[in-house]
Amino acid sequence: MPRAAFELLNDGARARGERTLANPRNAAAGSIRQLDPAVAASRPLAFFAYALGRVEPAAKWLQHTDMLADFRRYGLPVCPEADRATGVDALLAYYQRIGARRDALPYDIDGVVYKVNDIAAQHELGFVSRAPRWAIAHKFPAREEQTVVEAIDVQVGRTGAMTPVARLRPVQVAGVVVTNATLHNEHEVRRKDVRVGDTVVVRRAGDVIPEVVAVVVEQRPDGLVPFEMPTACPECGSLLAREGDEAVLRCTGTGVCPAQRKESIRHFASRRAMDIEGLGDAWIENLVDLGYVQHVADLYALTIDDLLAMKRRADEGVGVVPETVKKGKVASRWAENLIAAIDRSRQTTLPRLLFALGIRDVGESTAKGLARHFGALDRIASASAADLMTAPDVGPVVASRIVAFFTAPHQREVIDLLRARGLHWEEGEPLAAAGPLLGKTVVLTGSLSGLTRDEAKQRLETLGAKVSGSVSAKTSFVVAGTDAGSKLDKALSLAIPVLDEAALLALLAEHGA
Ligand SMILES: [Zn+2]
């Protein structure tokens, strides 16, 4: 949202006595999230074309800059600041040049993006999870402000991690009022020596999460005492402990700590996990504090009557009522909707469930990899650390986390309950144990025209093949698209069979993939 358009939008809101928006970034994000497309359409949003989606037949451009030039010819808006630079010094000079003009641009930016210009090289470099290896953001320093620390609280996370949080005298940072800032962990508080009463520099890192950068020591009043971490969990009283040489202290009350339980339910219900719409933070507090829910499986035993009883108690001042739920007759509609949302989440997928369980260090992408590799929850739950490490993205630490999670008796009970209460997901065969290409190691190189590299990889894997990134004597065959480079040379020098795209497609078709 251009700054001028944002100002006009806020002028209008002010004239109508409505709430104004904090900054163009929030205004743009809020506009896109509007449920009513007519409202979204009325917002002064703008865009620059900068990339392609799917193109059939294959796109013709060899260089990213040629593509942008053609976009311009077609009449699409393209960022006039985009430029080509060769070498690190030239990139940094570009970064400095744009940084110097940052405030003069008609829109807000938080940095520049460097991209590899050669499109074949972009394909060759590919992606790690969702992050391209051929593009990188170089952010400008975040906007900083000073304020006073009024208190330091300790928050308990889903895995029991203790995070000290500075409660701040409210201050505007980059257009947003900041009242809390993370201090990350005990080590960080010590290193920065942040004390209650200190004046501190607050930054919104990446212009999003506020953090305390440093103490303004020359403004420290006399008599401030250094911060001490508590020795027991502020929520459940369990002792805190540190694992190995980790910086974070954790509550040892796993399974009994209400703070950990609330966080794990919040994670379980979140959009990318089980996606239970309408289960907000305040209700999670009430469900746990008032004893309706001990763990995630209890969500699936809740009834409309339970929710209405909880709501009545909340109306009477027991627990909290979120602003979005009003008193009286709308309550039954709310309860029905929430029960329906919980019910919808019963039909799920293995990757979602694995992610939702909240196993430490198992994010969405690792969960997907595990699901595909093992095919079934029980196979993952009973796998040894060594077995687990045969899955993509799983190293010794993640493997030990998964083993620890599934050997805790409490977790197995929860999973059994989830099943008993109607959670359902599709399971399949483990990748490595089936398929006509079992035991074959395949390397893909060059660009394919009929399918993407990822599609080719996925189809080969469903046939049992292992797709590797480098050619060695163990490689069974190499698939070479156009512009294949050193991997093809290596394959030829090792006399490894090479398939072209047509041969690959024939092979896939032969096995029904
Ligand atoms: Zn605790």
Side-chain angles (χ1 to χ4, degrees):
M1 186 174 288
R3 262 200 296 266
F6 166 75
E7 296 298 348
L8 273 177
L9 188 70
N10 264 356
D11 288 348
R14 256 189 298 272
R16 292 188 301 273
E18 293 168 9
R19 234 159 47 99
T20 55
L21 295 153
N23 56 31
R25 181 201 161 96
N26 290 15
S31 300
I32 291 166
R33 262 189 251 112
Q34 287 294 324
L35 294 177
D36 181 352
V39 177
S42 74
R43 295 287 174 84
L45 291 166
F47 82 101
F48 287 133
Y50 65 93
L52 277 173
R54 197 182 171 109
V55 180
E56 285 177 40
K60 57 177 180 171
W61 296 286
L62 301 178
Q63 308 273 307
H64 195 85
T65 39
D66 295 344
M67 183 183 79
L68 294 184
D70 276 349
F71 285 179
R72 257 186 217 111
R73 267 191 332 112
Y74 304 158
L76 291 166
V78 172
C79 180
E81 311 301 329
D83 205 348
R84 190 158 56 175
T86 305
V88 173
D89 291 341
L91 290 177
L92 293 178
Y94 175 78
Y95 172 83
Q96 298 298 347
R97 195 167 84 229
I98 297 293
R101 298 186 42 226
R102 185 180 182 184
D103 290 325
L105 294 173
Y107 40 81
D108 284 356
I109 58 171
D110 66 353
V112 302
V113 177
Y114 306 132
K115 293 180 180 174
V116 171
N117 200 28
D118 184 88
I119 288 176
Q122 291 184 1
H123 289 308
E124 179 83 11
L125 287 161
F127 284 75
V128 179
S129 205
R130 262 175 279 181
R133 286 204 194 86
W134 46 270
I136 188 166
H138 190 175
K139 303 269 182 175
F140 294 120
R143 310 295 178 145
E144 299 177 346
E145 298 294 342
Q146 289 188 11
T147 187
V148 174
V149 176
E150 296 184 325
I152 299 177
D153 290 342
V154 178
Q155 281 179 350
V156 190
R158 164 165 62 87
T159 57
M162 297 284 149
T163 307
V165 176
R167 307 293 178 201
L168 304 169
R169 185 170 297 162
V171 60
Q172 284 257 347
V173 186
V176 168
V177 178
V178 172
T179 52
N180 302 308
T182 179
L183 292 162
H184 299 293
N185 56 52
E186 181 186 20
H187 176 76
E188 279 291 294
V189 188
R190 287 257 166 78
R191 194 174 65 78
K192 291 172 181 165
D193 190 21
V194 181
R195 306 180 185 188
V196 175
D198 266 335
T199 297
V200 291
V201 176
V202 178
R203 168 165 69 192
R204 286 175 62 211
D207 288 341
V208 185
I209 307 161
E211 63 173 350
V212 171
V213 181
V215 172
V216 186
V217 182
E218 54 276 24
Q219 291 186 29
R220 174 173 284 168
D222 290 336
L224 297 192
V225 290
F227 172 74
E228 291 280 343
M229 281 293 273
T231 53
C233 173
E235 300 283 338
C236 74
S238 302
L239 285 178
L240 304 186
R242 211 183 298 275
E243 278 176 27
D245 51 4
E246 269 194 346
V248 284
L249 276 169
R250 287 175 200 275
C251 165
T252 55
T254 310
V256 297
C257 181
Q260 289 187 48
R261 270 196 248 137
K262 287 172 194 169
E263 282 303 315
S264 58
I265 294 168
R266 195 168 296 155
H267 171 77
F268 184 84
S270 64
R271 198 169 53 81
R272 286 173 161 173
M274 302 304 283
D275 194 17
I276 302 177
E277 208 180 317
L279 189 59
D281 290 357
W283 290 119
I284 293 173
E285 293 274 323
N286 285 353
L287 284 169
V288 173
D289 289 344
L290 304 181
Y292 290 94
V293 169
Q294 298 284 323
H295 48 66
V296 295
D298 289 344
L299 293 173
Y300 295 96
L302 283 173
T303 63
I304 291 176
D305 287 344
D306 288 337
L307 292 180
L308 291 176
M310 180 178 77
K311 171 75 171 48
R312 268 195 303 279
R313 289 169 72 185
D315 286 342
E316 286 157 11
V318 185
V320 277
V321 186
E323 277 175 29
T324 48
V325 179
K326 299 289 176 263
K327 291 199 174 189
K329 60 179 187 290
V330 293
S332 65
R333 170 80 61 83
W334 158 77
E336 280 166 26
N337 288 345
L338 182 50
I339 294 292
I342 292 172
D343 191 42
R344 274 196 301 279
S345 75
R346 280 188 165 94
Q347 179 61 48
T348 187
T349 65
L350 183 53
R352 261 186 197 272
L353 176 69
L354 266 180
F355 174 62
L357 289 174
I359 305 166
R360 262 174 78 189
D361 298 327
V362 175
E364 265 183 300
S365 142
T366 308
K368 275 190 191 134
L370 284 165
R372 228 168 50 166
H373 191 81
F374 289 97
L377 185 62
D378 286 341
R379 255 178 249 130
I380 299 167
S382 57
S384 68
D387 288 342
L388 289 164
M389 279 160 63
T390 61
D393 283 354
V394 179
V397 174
V398 176
S400 73
R401 303 273 195 248
I402 298 168
V403 170
F405 182 89
F406 286 108
T407 45
H410 163 77
Q411 300 294 4
R412 296 300 282 266
E413 276 167 35
V414 169
I415 290 167
D416 289 344
L417 268 175
L418 285 173
R419 275 207 182 95
R421 290 176 177 166
L423 235 73
H424 179 78
W425 60 93
E426 298 251 331
E427 301 206 322
E429 289 304 306
L431 264 193
L437 299 184
L438 183 63
K440 301 265 191 257
T441 302
V442 183
V443 174
L444 300 170
T445 182
S447 43
L448 305 171
S449 59
L451 69 178
T452 67
R453 189 86 71 88
D454 275 347
E455 285 165 350
K457 177 169 189 273
Q458 202 164 333
R459 291 187 202 176
L460 285 163
E461 283 175 349
T462 55
L463 296 177
K466 182 172 184 287
V467 177
S468 164
S470 58
V471 178
S472 75
K474 288 186 202 152
T475 306
S476 312
F477 61 89
V478 168
V479 176
T482 50
D483 302 323
S486 60
K487 289 177 189 172
L488 176 58
D489 297 341
K490 187 156 183 203
L492 294 173
S493 75
L494 293 171
I496 290 164
V498 175
L499 273 59
D500 63 9
E501 181 169 354
L504 170 70
L505 292 175
L507 178 75
L508 294 173
E510 182 190 337
H511 295 296

